[in-house]
Amino acid sequence: MSRFAPPTAEQAAREASTTEKSSQSNWLDVAAKHATLEWVVDFGAETLRGAVQYETCVKTEGTAVFVVDTSCGLEISKAYVDDDEVPVTLGAPHAVFGTAASVPLKKTHKGAVQEVRFEYKTAPECSAAQWLEPAQTAGKKRPYLFTQCQAIHARALLPCQDAPGAKMSWDAVVDAPAWATALLSGLHAPRGLPFQPRRCPKQPPTGFERSHWKQPVPTSTYLIAVVVAELESREVSDRCRVWSEPSVVDAAADEFAETEAFLKAAEEITGQDYLWGRYDLVCLAPSFPYGGMENPCLTFVTPTLLAGDRSLAGVVAHEIAHSWTGNLVTNATWEHFWLNEGWTRWLERKIKATTSGKGRALEDFDLASSLQNLDGAVAHFESIGQAALTALVPPVDGIDPDDAFSLVPYEKGSCLLHVMERTVGPTKFAVFVKAYIKQFRFKTVTSAAFKAFAVEKLGEQAMAPIDWATWFHAPGGPPQTLDLDEGLAARARALAAA
């Protein structure tokens, strides 16, 4: 019997929740199993126009409607179910979560498969799309488009079931200006797609070129991404390529030359081959607001990483880690975001410790500085009266996930994993990591499912020192400390003082 208090009924329900609080779609009742995207990239109007066509499957008997999320002025012009035009019913707009759009289904019995098509266009105020003027780019001659859908911005890019648990495969037909290169978070299909919706235009508009893309691995909508710009590429390895503007691409290729080594290290640590086919990076325009984004097959990184000495390339190790922890094994809802980011920080540290040859010393150096930064994040949330959001499994009802995210899921989450590892020993934990990836790959996972799997595989007695309820639900920093190797930190302080 555990010596720690169990979670309350409300906390236990949150640990096991698979209901996405930020989505108004009915993805638990009708699943979109596959999507075909059709986009025309219009820089003049700053819009994407076209369609998305879903292959859907009824999961709950008697479900009569297919409901998707939309936001930021996305305009649906027509909808079809099995090629028959149907009306679209819009719900009341929600200030944070946008507007639900529903269409009636023809078949309502469990297991019924039918195609649902929305013809639509995005709005210039689309929160997922950044349309840059030439002056905002490195080359200063051409405009630039990139998207960022995490956490709940995919609904501004396409009508969709915008919940991390709603995974689907997809393909795409993209018409972009002839001067531009279009890249998506999937695999390029130079010979076209085996099936293209009947209503998709046969040819691109004059002055445009068409490209085809496919993502055969089921992914969440927040991982759909596109960049359209004047781009060139350089090969890093047989499966890795770096893209950027012509004036930047050589520096980017040199900076991220360790990408293949990071991938191989991740494969070894997880016991799972890289399943996404290609790992390409785009070094984006300077206005990209994040260090990186783990879009499958096409990581986005900021040019601020171009230090010239590869000292900041560790961000790529983080995004590579997401290919296993986040993209392959995904948090069931945003309440469980720590299972994406905590695991990824843990795996990132292992990748860097392995490829650098510095091992535990580098891992602990990173942990020490990260935990100091975590203290600052916790203090900030406490100062604004939102200490509850410093729990690993926070209450997020009615809250934009972007407002709930912080260093907490990254650093407090990874600290829990390091505590577990040092409780049972690195050898036993390494076996557990491989079992975890194998068990939950292609799936989603809740905090309760993670805890149950850890206790099963590592042993109830071995996990007895872990106060799960406090880790998951108590606000503040980590409830257990780590004994860290201070060697590298001491040397760094001595250099700084010299």
Side-chain angles (χ1 to χ4, degrees):
M1 179 179 293
S2 173
R3 65 180 186 271
F4 302 115
T8 67
E10 179 182 349
Q11 290 171 342
R14 195 181 309 138
E15 290 176 20
S17 175
T18 57
T19 301
E20 178 49 55
K21 308 298 191 300
S22 67
S23 175
Q24 300 177 80
S25 69
N26 64 340
W27 67 277
L28 290 171
D29 298 317
V30 186
K33 308 300 289 184
H34 182 81
T36 297
L37 297 162
E38 304 163 25
W39 282 337
V40 177
V41 181
D42 189 337
F43 277 100
E46 295 190 345
T47 62
L48 294 173
R49 66 177 188 273
V52 58
Q53 185 161 309
Y54 293 108
E55 177 186 312
T56 68
C57 181
V58 175
K59 297 169 71 176
T60 302
E61 183 72 28
T63 303
V65 292
F66 179 65
V67 185
V68 292
D69 296 298
T70 73
S71 71
C72 296
L74 183 146
E75 181 181 333
I76 299 172
S77 56
K78 292 182 179 180
Y80 301 85
V81 174
D82 285 344
D83 215 32
D84 291 333
E85 189 168 354
V86 295
V88 178
T89 301
L90 299 180
H94 188 284
V96 176
F97 304 138
T99 302
S102 64
V103 295
L105 296 175
K106 292 181 177 181
K107 296 169 282 190
T108 64
H109 62 275
K110 186 175 182 179
V113 175
Q114 49 215 304
E115 292 180 344
V116 178
R117 177 182 178 85
F118 295 100
E119 296 183 353
Y120 75 98
K121 66 177 180 179
T122 63
E125 62 267 27
C126 170
S127 62
Q130 299 296 311
W131 301 87
L132 306 182
E133 297 292 334
Q136 297 174 283
T137 70
K140 311 298 183 186
K141 294 179 180 179
R142 298 287 193 180
Y144 198 117
L145 165 67
F146 69 85
T147 61
Q148 171 67 26
C149 287
Q150 195 181 43
I152 59 171
H153 301 286
R155 64 193 67 181
L157 195 66
L158 68 156
C160 63
Q161 297 177 321
D162 200 9
K167 288 191 171 188
M168 64 181 181
S169 57
W170 58 263
D171 46 44
V173 181
V174 180
D175 296 338
W179 57 262
T181 296
L183 303 172
L184 275 74
S185 52
L187 301 172
H188 186 217
R191 297 183 180 180
L193 303 176
F195 169 78
Q196 192 162 296
R198 186 178 68 81
R199 294 182 181 275
C200 178
K202 303 303 180 186
Q203 300 293 330
T206 302
F208 285 65
E209 291 187 359
R210 175 165 291 181
S211 61
H212 299 86
W213 301 83
K214 59 183 180 180
Q215 181 49 268
V217 180
T219 59
S220 308
T221 51
Y222 77 89
L223 293 170
I224 295 173
V226 59
V227 57
V228 182
E230 185 178 26
L231 300 170
E232 291 184 3
S233 67
R234 300 291 185 268
E235 300 294 326
V236 175
S237 71
D238 290 343
R239 55 181 172 176
C240 302
R241 183 182 294 127
V242 174
W243 293 86
S244 195
E245 293 183 71
S247 63
V248 179
V249 66
D250 287 322
D254 181 72
E255 198 75 24
F256 305 127
E258 299 168 297
T259 300
E260 178 64 31
F262 291 161
L263 276 172
K264 289 179 178 176
E267 289 177 319
E268 178 67 26
I269 294 163
T270 62
Q272 170 66 64
D273 290 343
Y274 179 77
L275 294 179
W276 303 90
R278 290 204 61 82
Y279 185 86
D280 289 358
L281 298 98
V282 184
C283 187
L284 290 175
S287 59
F288 182 59
Y290 303 96
M293 180 60 203
E294 66 270 18
N295 308 306
C297 307
L298 193 71
T299 284
F300 287 178
V301 293
T302 171
T304 60
L305 299 179
L306 301 180
D309 59 1
R310 303 180 185 173
S311 59
L312 301 178
V315 170
V316 174
H318 182 90
E319 307 310 333
I320 282 174
H322 268 304
S323 301
W324 288 264
T325 53
N327 299 1
L328 196 61
V329 180
T330 308
N331 47 225
T333 73
W334 295 120
E335 291 159 306
H336 310 292
F337 187 49
W338 79 272
L339 287 166
N340 273 23
E341 295 298 350
W343 265 114
T344 297
R345 284 291 278 141
W346 180 90
L347 182 52
E348 172 198 346
R349 290 189 183 106
K350 296 297 179 183
I351 293 170
K352 292 190 292 187
T354 299
T355 56
S356 69
K358 294 183 172 66
R360 169 77 178 267
L362 180 62
E363 182 179 307
D364 282 10
F365 178 78
D366 186 284
L367 267 168
S369 60
S370 297
L371 291 174
Q372 284 185 337
N373 293 334
L374 175 61
D375 289 341
V378 169
H380 168 71
F381 274 96
E382 290 173 345
S383 71
I384 61 174
Q386 294 185 345
L389 295 180
T390 64
L392 267 190
V393 189
V396 294
D397 297 52
I399 299 174
D400 186 331
D402 283 340
D403 294 335
F405 293 167
S406 69
L407 287 178
V408 170
Y410 294 76
E411 308 304 355
K412 189 174 179 178
S414 63
C415 186
L416 169 57
L417 297 170
H418 285 288
V419 167
M420 292 171 61
E421 178 183 21
R422 296 180 189 190
T423 298
V424 302
T427 301
K428 189 172 183 178
F429 197 76
V431 174
F432 168 73
V433 170
K434 294 178 173 66
Y436 172 77
I437 297 295
K438 184 176 181 180
Q439 174 68 24
F440 293 105
R441 62 186 177 182
F442 308 116
K443 301 175 185 176
T444 60
V445 60
T446 65
S447 299
F450 166 79
K451 177 175 70 174
F453 189 75
V455 171
E456 175 192 346
K457 294 298 181 181
L458 296 173
E460 187 171 355
Q461 184 175 354
M463 288 291 94
I466 305 298
D467 183 355
W468 295 102
T470 300
W471 272 103
F472 285 171
H473 302 292
Q480 292 171 265
T481 59
L482 288 164
D483 183 17
L484 300 178
D485 181 339
E486 293 285 348
L488 281 179
R491 288 164 59 190
R493 286 192 292 269
L495 283 172

